Amino acid sequence: SFMEQAEAEEKHVNELEERERLNQQQRRLASGALLQEMKNITDAADASDTVLLQGFNWESHQAGKGNWYGIVESKVEMFADMGITDIWLPPCSQSVAPQGYLPSQLFNLDASAYGKKDQLKQLLAAMRQKGIRGMADIVINHRCGDQQDEQGRWNVFTTTGIESRKSFAGVMDWQGWAITLGDKFSDGTGERGPGQYDDKFDAAPDIDHGNKKVQQSIAIWMRWLRLDVGFDAWRFDFVKGYGAEYVGLYCKKSHPSWAVGELWLDMRYDDSGLCYDQNEHRQNTINWINATDKESAAFDFTTKGILQEACRNTQYWRLKDSEGKPPGLLGWMPTQAVTFLDNHDTGSTQAHWPFPGDKVLVGYAYLLTHPGIPSIFWDHVCDWGDDCRERIKVLLKLRQKAEIKVDAKVKILCADADLYIAEIGEPAALRVALGPRSSDADGAWQMGANGNDYKVWISKSKTS
Protein backbone atom coordinates (compact mmCIF):
# COMPACT_ATOMS: atom_id res chain seq x y z
CA SER A 1 0.00 0.00 0.00
CA PHE A 2 0.96 3.66 -0.37
CA MET A 3 1.14 4.15 3.41
CA GLU A 4 3.50 1.22 3.85
CA GLN A 5 5.73 2.50 1.05
CA ALA A 6 5.80 5.97 2.60
CA GLU A 7 6.70 4.50 6.00
CA ALA A 8 9.48 2.39 4.51
CA GLU A 9 10.84 5.43 2.70
CA GLU A 10 10.77 7.49 5.90
CA LYS A 11 12.58 4.73 7.82
CA HIS A 12 15.16 4.65 5.03
CA VAL A 13 15.74 8.43 5.22
CA ASN A 14 15.89 8.35 9.03
CA GLU A 15 18.47 5.58 8.92
CA LEU A 16 20.63 7.55 6.48
CA GLU A 17 20.40 10.64 8.69
CA GLU A 18 21.28 8.53 11.73
CA ARG A 19 24.30 7.08 9.93
CA GLU A 20 25.41 10.56 8.93
CA ARG A 21 25.08 11.84 12.51
CA LEU A 22 27.06 8.91 13.94
CA ASN A 23 29.63 9.28 11.19
CA GLN A 24 30.21 12.92 12.22
CA GLN A 25 30.54 11.86 15.86
CA GLN A 26 32.70 8.83 15.28
CA ARG A 27 35.91 10.27 16.74
CA ARG A 28 34.23 12.34 19.46
CA LEU A 29 31.87 9.78 20.99
CA ALA A 30 33.29 7.18 23.39
CA SER A 31 33.44 3.97 21.39
CA GLY A 32 31.13 2.09 23.78
CA ALA A 33 28.37 4.66 23.27
CA LEU A 34 29.00 4.76 19.52
CA LEU A 35 28.71 0.97 19.23
CA GLN A 36 25.47 0.98 21.21
CA GLU A 37 24.01 3.49 18.76
CA MET A 38 25.37 1.60 15.74
CA LYS A 39 23.61 -1.48 17.02
CA ASN A 40 20.31 0.41 16.79
CA ILE A 41 20.71 1.10 13.08
CA THR A 42 22.05 -2.36 12.22
CA ASP A 43 19.59 -4.48 10.33
CA ALA A 44 20.85 -7.92 11.44
CA ALA A 45 20.73 -10.40 8.58
CA ASP A 46 18.37 -13.37 8.86
CA ALA A 47 20.56 -16.22 7.61
CA SER A 48 17.51 -18.12 6.33
CA ASP A 49 16.65 -15.29 3.94
CA THR A 50 20.19 -14.44 2.86
CA VAL A 51 21.46 -15.03 -0.69
CA LEU A 52 24.89 -13.58 -1.48
CA LEU A 53 26.15 -12.58 -4.93
CA GLN A 54 29.86 -12.08 -5.54
CA GLY A 55 29.68 -8.81 -7.47
CA PHE A 56 32.95 -9.07 -9.45
CA ASN A 57 35.57 -11.42 -10.86
CA TRP A 58 39.35 -11.22 -11.36
CA GLU A 59 39.04 -9.01 -14.47
CA SER A 60 36.44 -6.52 -13.24
CA HIS A 61 39.05 -3.83 -12.53
CA GLN A 62 39.63 -3.70 -16.32
CA ALA A 63 36.12 -4.52 -17.50
CA GLY A 64 34.72 -1.54 -15.62
CA LYS A 65 37.00 0.90 -17.48
CA GLY A 66 37.37 2.90 -14.27
CA ASN A 67 33.80 2.47 -12.99
CA TRP A 68 32.96 -1.16 -12.24
CA TYR A 69 30.55 0.16 -9.60
CA GLY A 70 28.44 1.66 -12.39
CA ILE A 71 28.18 -1.72 -14.15
CA VAL A 72 26.98 -3.38 -10.94
CA GLU A 73 24.53 -0.51 -10.38
CA SER A 74 23.01 -1.02 -13.84
CA LYS A 75 22.05 -4.57 -12.83
CA VAL A 76 20.78 -3.97 -9.29
CA GLU A 77 17.14 -4.26 -10.33
CA MET A 78 17.82 -7.59 -12.05
CA PHE A 79 19.63 -8.91 -8.96
CA ALA A 80 16.78 -7.84 -6.66
CA ASP A 81 14.31 -9.56 -8.97
CA MET A 82 16.34 -12.79 -8.75
CA GLY A 83 16.17 -12.74 -4.96
CA ILE A 84 19.71 -11.57 -4.14
CA THR A 85 19.88 -9.98 -0.66
CA ASP A 86 23.59 -9.13 -0.41
CA ILE A 87 26.32 -8.20 -2.90
CA TRP A 88 29.98 -8.71 -2.04
CA LEU A 89 31.94 -5.91 -3.70
CA PRO A 90 35.68 -5.89 -4.49
CA PRO A 91 38.24 -4.32 -2.11
CA CYS A 92 37.55 -0.59 -2.36
CA SER A 93 40.80 0.96 -1.08
CA GLN A 94 43.80 2.22 -3.05
CA SER A 95 45.97 -0.82 -3.83
CA VAL A 96 49.38 -1.56 -5.33
CA ALA A 97 47.75 -4.24 -7.55
CA PRO A 98 44.63 -3.21 -9.49
CA GLN A 99 42.46 -6.10 -8.21
CA GLY A 100 42.60 -4.49 -4.77
CA TYR A 101 44.29 -7.21 -2.72
CA LEU A 102 47.52 -5.28 -1.97
CA PRO A 103 45.98 -2.31 -0.15
CA SER A 104 48.04 0.62 1.10
CA GLN A 105 45.96 3.74 1.83
CA LEU A 106 42.86 2.19 3.37
CA PHE A 107 40.78 5.38 3.58
CA ASN A 108 41.60 6.39 -0.01
CA LEU A 109 38.66 5.07 -2.03
CA ASP A 110 39.22 7.41 -4.98
CA ALA A 111 42.37 5.68 -6.24
CA SER A 112 40.71 2.28 -6.74
CA ALA A 113 40.64 0.73 -10.22
CA TYR A 114 36.96 -0.12 -9.59
CA GLY A 115 35.83 3.51 -9.39
CA LYS A 116 35.62 6.54 -7.15
CA LYS A 117 34.23 6.82 -3.63
CA ASP A 118 31.17 8.78 -4.85
CA GLN A 119 30.39 6.10 -7.45
CA LEU A 120 30.66 3.43 -4.75
CA LYS A 121 28.34 5.38 -2.43
CA GLN A 122 25.87 5.83 -5.29
CA LEU A 123 25.91 2.05 -5.94
CA LEU A 124 25.38 1.24 -2.25
CA ALA A 125 22.48 3.72 -2.09
CA ALA A 126 20.89 2.15 -5.19
CA MET A 127 21.28 -1.29 -3.61
CA ARG A 128 19.74 -0.16 -0.34
CA GLN A 129 16.69 1.21 -2.21
CA LYS A 130 16.13 -2.34 -3.45
CA GLY A 131 16.73 -3.90 -0.05
CA ILE A 132 20.18 -5.28 -0.94
CA ARG A 133 23.04 -5.02 1.56
CA GLY A 134 26.59 -4.16 0.50
CA MET A 135 29.41 -6.43 1.68
CA ALA A 136 32.91 -4.95 1.79
CA ASP A 137 36.00 -7.06 1.09
CA ILE A 138 38.19 -6.51 4.17
CA VAL A 139 41.86 -7.08 3.33
CA ILE A 140 43.80 -6.62 6.57
CA ASN A 141 46.19 -9.57 6.80
CA HIS A 142 48.79 -7.37 5.09
CA ARG A 143 49.26 -3.75 4.07
CA CYS A 144 51.71 -2.20 1.63
CA GLY A 145 53.89 0.62 2.93
CA ASP A 146 54.04 3.76 0.81
CA GLN A 147 57.53 4.83 1.95
CA GLN A 148 60.78 3.05 2.77
CA ASP A 149 62.64 3.06 6.06
CA GLU A 150 66.39 3.84 6.24
CA GLN A 151 67.21 0.24 5.31
CA GLY A 152 65.04 0.45 2.20
CA ARG A 153 62.21 -1.70 3.59
CA TRP A 154 58.69 -0.67 2.53
CA ASN A 155 57.29 -0.47 6.05
CA VAL A 156 56.31 3.17 6.51
CA PHE A 157 52.59 3.85 6.13
CA THR A 158 51.89 7.58 5.86
CA THR A 159 48.96 8.62 3.74
CA THR A 160 45.73 7.72 5.41
CA GLY A 161 43.67 8.95 2.47
CA ILE A 162 41.25 10.93 4.60
CA GLU A 163 43.19 14.12 5.24
CA SER A 164 39.98 16.15 4.90
CA ARG A 165 38.75 15.04 8.34
CA LYS A 166 40.88 16.55 11.08
CA SER A 167 39.71 14.09 13.74
CA PHE A 168 41.02 11.21 11.60
CA ALA A 169 44.51 12.71 11.26
CA GLY A 170 47.22 10.10 11.60
CA VAL A 171 44.81 7.24 12.25
CA MET A 172 46.58 4.95 9.80
CA ASP A 173 50.13 6.29 10.12
CA TRP A 174 52.01 3.14 11.04
CA GLN A 175 55.66 2.14 10.94
CA GLY A 176 57.72 -1.02 11.42
CA TRP A 177 56.11 -1.56 14.85
CA ALA A 178 52.87 -2.62 13.12
CA ILE A 179 54.53 -5.56 11.33
CA THR A 180 54.96 -9.06 12.76
CA LEU A 181 58.52 -9.91 13.84
CA GLY A 182 60.43 -12.12 11.44
CA ASP A 183 58.61 -10.68 8.42
CA LYS A 184 60.99 -9.55 5.69
CA PHE A 185 59.54 -6.01 5.98
CA SER A 186 60.03 -5.90 9.79
CA ASP A 187 62.54 -3.54 11.40
CA GLY A 188 62.54 -5.51 14.64
CA THR A 189 60.38 -3.03 16.59
CA GLY A 190 57.17 -5.10 16.50
CA GLU A 191 55.64 -6.59 19.62
CA ARG A 192 55.18 -10.20 18.51
CA GLY A 193 55.87 -12.78 15.84
CA PRO A 194 53.20 -14.52 13.78
CA GLY A 195 50.63 -16.64 15.65
CA GLN A 196 50.72 -20.42 15.37
CA TYR A 197 48.20 -20.51 12.52
CA ASP A 198 49.53 -17.54 10.58
CA ASP A 199 50.14 -18.47 6.97
CA LYS A 200 52.75 -16.28 5.32
CA PHE A 201 51.75 -13.87 2.58
CA ASP A 202 55.07 -12.81 1.10
CA ALA A 203 54.02 -10.01 -1.23
CA ALA A 204 53.36 -7.44 1.48
CA PRO A 205 54.09 -6.66 5.16
CA ASP A 206 52.19 -8.93 7.57
CA ILE A 207 50.25 -6.82 10.05
CA ASP A 208 50.36 -7.55 13.80
CA HIS A 209 46.73 -7.54 14.92
CA GLY A 210 47.73 -8.04 18.56
CA ASN A 211 48.98 -4.44 18.54
CA LYS A 212 46.42 -2.15 20.21
CA LYS A 213 47.10 0.78 17.90
CA VAL A 214 46.60 -1.46 14.85
CA GLN A 215 43.34 -2.73 16.33
CA GLN A 216 42.11 0.78 17.04
CA SER A 217 42.87 2.15 13.58
CA ILE A 218 41.31 -0.82 11.76
CA ALA A 219 38.17 -0.55 13.93
CA ILE A 220 37.90 3.17 13.09
CA TRP A 221 38.29 2.39 9.37
CA MET A 222 35.63 -0.33 9.46
CA ARG A 223 33.17 1.87 11.33
CA TRP A 224 33.80 4.57 8.75
CA LEU A 225 33.08 2.07 5.94
CA ARG A 226 29.71 1.42 7.59
CA LEU A 227 28.73 4.94 8.59
CA ASP A 228 30.22 7.12 5.87
CA VAL A 229 30.45 4.80 2.85
CA GLY A 230 27.35 2.73 3.61
CA PHE A 231 28.50 -0.91 3.77
CA ASP A 232 26.55 -3.34 5.95
CA ALA A 233 28.48 -6.62 5.93
CA TRP A 234 32.07 -7.91 5.81
CA ARG A 235 33.96 -10.54 3.83
CA PHE A 236 37.34 -11.11 5.47
CA ASP A 237 40.13 -11.95 3.01
CA PHE A 238 42.87 -14.55 3.70
CA VAL A 239 41.91 -15.28 7.31
CA LYS A 240 44.54 -18.04 7.40
CA GLY A 241 47.00 -15.21 7.89
CA TYR A 242 45.96 -13.86 11.31
CA GLY A 243 44.13 -14.94 14.46
CA ALA A 244 40.41 -15.66 14.26
CA GLU A 245 39.90 -13.77 17.51
CA TYR A 246 40.74 -10.53 15.68
CA VAL A 247 37.96 -11.16 13.14
CA GLY A 248 35.65 -11.48 16.15
CA LEU A 249 37.05 -8.31 17.69
CA TYR A 250 36.63 -6.23 14.51
CA CYS A 251 33.05 -7.46 14.12
CA LYS A 252 32.26 -6.50 17.71
CA LYS A 253 33.77 -3.06 17.09
CA SER A 254 31.89 -2.38 13.84
CA HIS A 255 28.48 -4.12 14.18
CA PRO A 256 27.99 -5.53 10.67
CA SER A 257 24.67 -7.12 9.65
CA TRP A 258 26.75 -10.29 9.21
CA ALA A 259 30.23 -11.41 8.19
CA VAL A 260 31.99 -14.26 6.38
CA GLY A 261 35.65 -15.32 6.33
CA GLU A 262 37.71 -16.87 3.55
CA LEU A 263 39.45 -19.81 5.23
CA TRP A 264 40.87 -21.75 2.29
CA LEU A 265 42.54 -24.86 3.74
CA ASP A 266 44.00 -27.86 1.92
CA MET A 267 41.78 -30.92 1.64
CA ARG A 268 42.92 -34.52 2.07
CA TYR A 269 44.04 -36.41 -1.03
CA ASP A 270 45.52 -39.88 -1.47
CA ASP A 271 46.73 -41.88 -4.48
CA SER A 272 43.21 -42.25 -5.85
CA GLY A 273 42.38 -38.55 -5.55
CA LEU A 274 40.19 -36.63 -3.09
CA CYS A 275 39.55 -38.66 0.08
CA TYR A 276 35.93 -39.51 0.92
CA ASP A 277 36.29 -38.38 4.55
CA GLN A 278 36.90 -34.63 4.89
CA ASN A 279 35.83 -34.35 8.53
CA GLU A 280 39.13 -32.81 9.60
CA HIS A 281 38.74 -30.11 6.95
CA ARG A 282 35.28 -29.08 8.12
CA GLN A 283 36.24 -29.40 11.78
CA ASN A 284 39.12 -26.95 11.23
CA THR A 285 36.64 -24.53 9.67
CA ILE A 286 34.31 -24.91 12.66
CA ASN A 287 37.23 -24.31 15.02
CA TRP A 288 37.91 -21.05 13.19
CA ILE A 289 34.24 -19.96 13.38
CA ASN A 290 34.16 -20.74 17.10
CA ALA A 291 37.39 -18.80 17.61
CA THR A 292 35.70 -15.68 16.14
CA ASP A 293 33.12 -16.15 18.93
CA LYS A 294 30.71 -17.06 16.09
CA GLU A 295 30.81 -13.42 14.97
CA SER A 296 31.64 -14.63 11.45
CA ALA A 297 30.43 -17.37 9.14
CA ALA A 298 32.87 -19.11 6.77
CA PHE A 299 32.84 -20.05 3.12
CA ASP A 300 32.14 -23.78 2.82
CA PHE A 301 35.26 -24.88 0.94
CA THR A 302 34.63 -28.45 2.14
CA THR A 303 31.34 -28.66 0.23
CA LYS A 304 32.85 -27.03 -2.86
CA GLY A 305 35.71 -29.53 -2.99
CA ILE A 306 33.51 -32.59 -2.51
CA LEU A 307 30.65 -31.43 -4.75
CA GLN A 308 32.84 -30.59 -7.75
CA GLU A 309 34.54 -33.98 -7.48
CA ALA A 310 31.17 -35.76 -7.26
CA CYS A 311 29.83 -33.91 -10.31
CA ARG A 312 33.01 -34.15 -12.41
CA ASN A 313 33.55 -37.90 -11.94
CA THR A 314 29.94 -39.05 -11.44
CA GLN A 315 30.73 -40.04 -7.83
CA TYR A 316 27.55 -38.89 -6.13
CA TRP A 317 28.25 -41.33 -3.28
CA ARG A 318 30.53 -38.58 -2.01
CA LEU A 319 27.50 -36.45 -1.04
CA LYS A 320 26.61 -38.55 2.01
CA ASP A 321 29.02 -38.84 4.94
CA SER A 322 29.47 -41.92 7.13
CA GLU A 323 26.65 -40.73 9.40
CA GLY A 324 24.20 -40.14 6.56
CA LYS A 325 24.62 -36.35 6.57
CA PRO A 326 25.85 -33.90 3.91
CA PRO A 327 29.67 -34.14 3.96
CA GLY A 328 30.56 -30.43 4.00
CA LEU A 329 30.44 -27.68 6.61
CA LEU A 330 26.71 -27.39 5.90
CA GLY A 331 26.25 -30.92 7.27
CA TRP A 332 27.68 -29.91 10.68
CA MET A 333 27.21 -26.15 11.14
CA PRO A 334 24.81 -24.92 8.44
CA THR A 335 24.00 -21.64 10.20
CA GLN A 336 27.59 -20.46 9.61
CA ALA A 337 28.22 -22.15 6.23
CA VAL A 338 28.31 -19.92 3.13
CA THR A 339 28.13 -22.31 0.20
CA PHE A 340 29.57 -21.46 -3.23
CA LEU A 341 30.78 -23.04 -6.47
CA ASP A 342 33.47 -20.60 -7.56
CA ASN A 343 35.02 -17.21 -6.77
CA HIS A 344 37.60 -14.85 -8.31
CA ASP A 345 40.45 -17.17 -7.23
CA THR A 346 39.05 -20.65 -7.88
CA GLY A 347 37.25 -19.70 -11.09
CA SER A 348 37.32 -16.63 -13.36
CA THR A 349 40.55 -16.21 -15.37
CA GLN A 350 42.72 -17.41 -12.46
CA ALA A 351 40.98 -20.82 -12.36
CA HIS A 352 43.06 -22.15 -9.47
CA TRP A 353 40.45 -24.80 -8.53
CA PRO A 354 37.43 -24.45 -10.85
CA PHE A 355 34.06 -26.17 -10.66
CA PRO A 356 33.52 -28.18 -13.89
CA GLY A 357 31.84 -25.76 -16.31
CA ASP A 358 29.34 -28.25 -17.74
CA LYS A 359 28.12 -29.15 -14.24
CA VAL A 360 27.61 -25.68 -12.77
CA LEU A 361 23.81 -25.95 -12.82
CA VAL A 362 23.99 -29.35 -11.11
CA GLY A 363 26.09 -27.60 -8.46
CA TYR A 364 23.51 -24.85 -7.99
CA ALA A 365 20.71 -27.44 -7.85
CA TYR A 366 22.55 -28.78 -4.79
CA LEU A 367 23.45 -25.45 -3.13
CA LEU A 368 20.09 -23.77 -3.66
CA THR A 369 18.06 -26.69 -2.28
CA HIS A 370 20.32 -27.45 0.70
CA PRO A 371 20.87 -25.69 4.05
CA GLY A 372 23.53 -23.04 4.59
CA ILE A 373 23.73 -19.52 3.13
CA PRO A 374 24.08 -19.81 -0.65
CA SER A 375 26.44 -17.59 -2.62
CA ILE A 376 26.32 -17.12 -6.39
CA PHE A 377 29.25 -16.12 -8.58
CA TRP A 378 29.07 -13.08 -10.89
CA ASP A 379 30.16 -14.99 -14.01
CA HIS A 380 27.35 -17.54 -13.75
CA VAL A 381 24.68 -14.83 -13.58
CA CYS A 382 26.16 -12.14 -15.84
CA ASP A 383 28.59 -13.75 -18.29
CA TRP A 384 27.24 -17.23 -19.05
CA GLY A 385 24.11 -16.21 -20.91
CA ASP A 386 20.41 -15.77 -20.19
CA ASP A 387 19.60 -19.49 -19.97
CA CYS A 388 22.10 -20.10 -17.18
CA ARG A 389 20.87 -17.04 -15.26
CA GLU A 390 17.20 -17.98 -15.69
CA ARG A 391 17.83 -21.53 -14.45
CA ILE A 392 19.63 -20.21 -11.36
CA LYS A 393 16.71 -17.83 -10.79
CA VAL A 394 14.18 -20.67 -11.01
CA LEU A 395 16.12 -22.62 -8.37
CA LEU A 396 16.32 -19.53 -6.14
CA LYS A 397 12.57 -18.94 -6.42
CA LEU A 398 11.91 -22.59 -5.47
CA ARG A 399 14.12 -22.17 -2.39
CA GLN A 400 12.14 -19.11 -1.37
CA LYS A 401 8.75 -20.65 -2.10
CA ALA A 402 9.62 -23.79 -0.14
CA GLU A 403 10.86 -21.57 2.73
CA ILE A 404 14.09 -23.53 3.15
CA LYS A 405 15.72 -22.49 6.43
CA VAL A 406 19.47 -22.09 6.89
CA ASP A 407 19.47 -25.18 9.15
CA ALA A 408 16.84 -27.21 7.26
CA LYS A 409 16.87 -30.96 7.81
CA VAL A 410 18.34 -33.05 4.97
CA LYS A 411 17.14 -36.61 4.45
CA ILE A 412 19.41 -38.39 1.97
CA LEU A 413 17.41 -41.15 0.26
CA CYS A 414 20.07 -42.28 -2.22
CA ALA A 415 23.77 -41.63 -2.73
CA ASP A 416 24.98 -43.94 -5.48
CA ALA A 417 27.68 -43.21 -8.06
CA ASP A 418 25.14 -42.03 -10.67
CA LEU A 419 22.25 -40.78 -8.51
CA TYR A 420 21.80 -38.59 -5.43
CA ILE A 421 18.33 -37.98 -3.99
CA ALA A 422 17.55 -35.87 -0.94
CA GLU A 423 14.50 -34.30 0.63
CA ILE A 424 14.98 -31.00 2.45
CA GLY A 425 12.89 -29.49 5.22
CA GLU A 426 10.67 -30.90 7.96
CA PRO A 427 8.15 -31.75 6.67
CA ALA A 428 10.00 -32.17 3.39
CA ALA A 429 9.47 -29.12 1.15
CA LEU A 430 11.96 -29.74 -1.68
CA ARG A 431 13.17 -32.94 -3.31
CA VAL A 432 16.31 -32.93 -5.45
CA ALA A 433 17.82 -35.59 -7.72
CA LEU A 434 21.32 -35.21 -9.20
CA GLY A 435 23.15 -37.46 -11.65
CA PRO A 436 22.61 -39.18 -15.00
CA ARG A 437 20.28 -41.96 -13.74
CA SER A 438 16.66 -40.93 -14.07
CA SER A 439 14.32 -40.84 -11.10
CA ASP A 440 10.77 -39.77 -10.33
CA ALA A 441 8.70 -38.56 -7.40
CA ASP A 442 5.22 -39.53 -6.20
CA GLY A 443 2.02 -37.50 -6.33
CA ALA A 444 2.89 -35.35 -3.30
CA TRP A 445 5.52 -33.55 -5.40
CA GLN A 446 5.32 -31.10 -8.29
CA MET A 447 8.19 -30.68 -10.76
CA GLY A 448 9.84 -27.31 -10.20
CA ALA A 449 13.07 -27.37 -12.19
CA ASN A 450 14.91 -29.80 -14.41
CA GLY A 451 18.00 -29.70 -16.54
CA ASN A 452 20.96 -31.78 -17.56
CA ASP A 453 21.60 -34.19 -14.63
CA TYR A 454 19.34 -32.43 -12.14
CA LYS A 455 15.67 -32.31 -11.12
CA VAL A 456 13.99 -30.41 -8.29
CA TRP A 457 10.44 -30.98 -7.03
CA ILE A 458 8.50 -28.83 -4.60
CA SER A 459 5.94 -30.20 -2.16
CA LYS A 460 2.38 -29.54 -3.37
CA SER A 461 1.61 -28.24 0.14
CA LYS A 462 3.90 -25.28 -0.72
CA THR A 463 2.35 -24.49 -4.08
CA SER A 464 -1.32 -24.23 -3.14
Side-chain angles (χ1 to χ4, degrees), residues 35-106:
L35 287 174
Q36 196 46 52
E37 299 211 28
M38 282 181 72
K39 206 175 186 165
N40 298 337
I41 61 160
T42 301
D43 183 16
D46 177 347
S48 290
D49 296 334
T50 302
V51 178
L52 177 64
L53 171 77
Q54 177 169 0
F56 64 102
N57 62 31
W58 193 245
E59 302 301 330
S60 301
H61 65 98
Q62 287 175 315
K65 297 184 171 56
N67 185 13
W68 177 254
Y69 302 135
I71 290 180
V72 180
E73 191 185 338
S74 70
K75 299 178 189 293
V76 163
E77 195 145 338
M78 175 181 94
F79 296 144
D81 184 49
M82 282 186 76
I84 303 294
T85 61
D86 293 75
I87 300 177
W88 154 24
L89 295 172
C92 58
S93 300
Q94 178 266 342
S95 162
V96 174
Q99 295 86 0
Y101 290 98
L102 291 175
S104 179
Q105 301 165 17
L106 293 182

Side-chain angles (χ1 to χ4, degrees), residues 281-297:
H281 192 267
R282 54 177 166 172
Q283 186 57 54
N284 285 334
T285 309
I286 287 175
N287 295 347
W288 181 86
I289 293 165
N290 286 334
T292 73
D293 206 14
K294 288 203 175 138
E295 290 284 328
S296 179

Side-chain angles (χ1 to χ4, degrees), residues 170-464:
V171 159
M172 281 278 173
D173 294 1
W174 302 348
Q175 291 186 12
W177 52 260
I179 298 169
T180 51
L181 292 172
D183 190 89
K184 68 179 183 192
F185 296 93
S186 167
D187 59 5
T189 61
E191 294 173 353
R192 59 189 65 69
Q196 64 182 114
Y197 300 114
D198 291 7
D199 252 34
K200 294 305 285 170
F201 183 92
D202 289 328
D206 257 337
I207 298 308
D208 173 15
H209 290 274
N211 184 294
K212 289 283 183 271
K213 192 172 172 190
V214 166
Q215 290 176 9
Q216 189 192 10
S217 39
I218 288 177
I220 289 166
W221 174 62
M222 291 176 73
R223 292 200 285 253
W224 175 81
L225 285 178
R226 286 215 55 214
L227 296 170
D228 185 308
V229 187
F231 280 108
D232 282 305
W234 309 134
R235 178 261 183 190
F236 288 92
D237 179 62
F238 197 73
V239 298
K240 278 198 295 202
Y242 56 104
E245 66 271 26
Y246 303 119
V247 169
L249 176 79
Y250 295 134
C251 285
K252 286 171 182 163
K253 292 207 174 295
S254 59
H255 270 299
S257 296
W258 69 294
V260 57
E262 178 217 10
L263 185 71
W264 188 359
L265 304 170
D266 292 335
M267 298 185 76
R268 269 182 60 219
Y269 291 86
D270 61 20
D271 294 343
S272 55
L274 185 76
C275 296
Y276 165 67
D277 183 333
Q278 297 291 339
N279 286 351
E280 187 187 0
H281 192 267
R282 54 177 166 172
Q283 186 57 54
N284 285 334
T285 309
I286 287 175
N287 295 347
W288 181 86
I289 293 165
N290 286 334
T292 73
D293 206 14
K294 288 203 175 138
E295 290 284 328
S296 179
F299 283 109
D300 191 348
F301 279 91
T302 322
T303 290
K304 171 182 165 52
I306 294 170
L307 183 61
Q308 66 189 21
E309 212 60 16
C311 292
R312 181 188 291 115
N313 302 324
T314 319
Q315 297 173 330
Y316 290 96
W317 48 264
R318 291 183 178 277
L319 298 183
K320 178 180 173 181
D321 72 11
S322 58
E323 293 173 341
K325 292 186 161 134
L329 179 62
L330 72 86
W332 278 0
M333 195 184 262
T335 55
Q336 310 281 333
V338 179
T339 55
F340 73 105
L341 297 186
D342 265 326
N343 61 32
H344 59 289
D345 289 324
T346 65
S348 188
T349 51
Q350 294 201 89
H352 290 315
W353 198 42
F355 203 92
D358 60 339
K359 295 289 192 287
V360 157
L361 288 167
V362 183
Y364 281 121
Y366 181 89
L367 297 194
L368 297 178
T369 54
H370 279 61
I373 299 168
S375 173
I376 296 170
F377 187 38
W378 177 272
D379 297 25
H380 301 151
V381 170
C382 298
D383 297 343
W384 285 31
D386 295 346
D387 183 60
C388 186
R389 177 174 64 246
E390 280 307 312
R391 285 175 178 277
I392 292 170
K393 180 177 169 179
V394 166
L395 290 165
L396 260 175
K397 294 295 178 200
L398 284 169
R399 181 185 186 84
Q400 287 162 345
K401 201 169 185 181
E403 299 173 289
I404 298 300
K405 297 276 174 264
V406 67
D407 57 354
K409 186 177 173 355
V410 179
K411 190 174 168 193
I412 298 172
L413 304 173
C414 173
D416 295 339
D418 58 353
L419 180 64
Y420 170 82
I421 303 174
E423 291 182 353
I424 299 95
E426 183 142 66
L430 286 181
R431 177 184 170 101
V432 61
L434 310 176
R437 184 172 10 135
S438 75
S439 75
D440 290 310
D442 66 28
W445 297 98
Q446 181 181 318
M447 177 62 76
N450 69 56
N452 206 358
D453 285 358
Y454 73 91
K455 282 182 188 168
V456 181
W457 298 263
I458 184 166
S459 165
K460 284 183 178 167
S461 66
K462 292 286 183 187
T463 58
S464 50

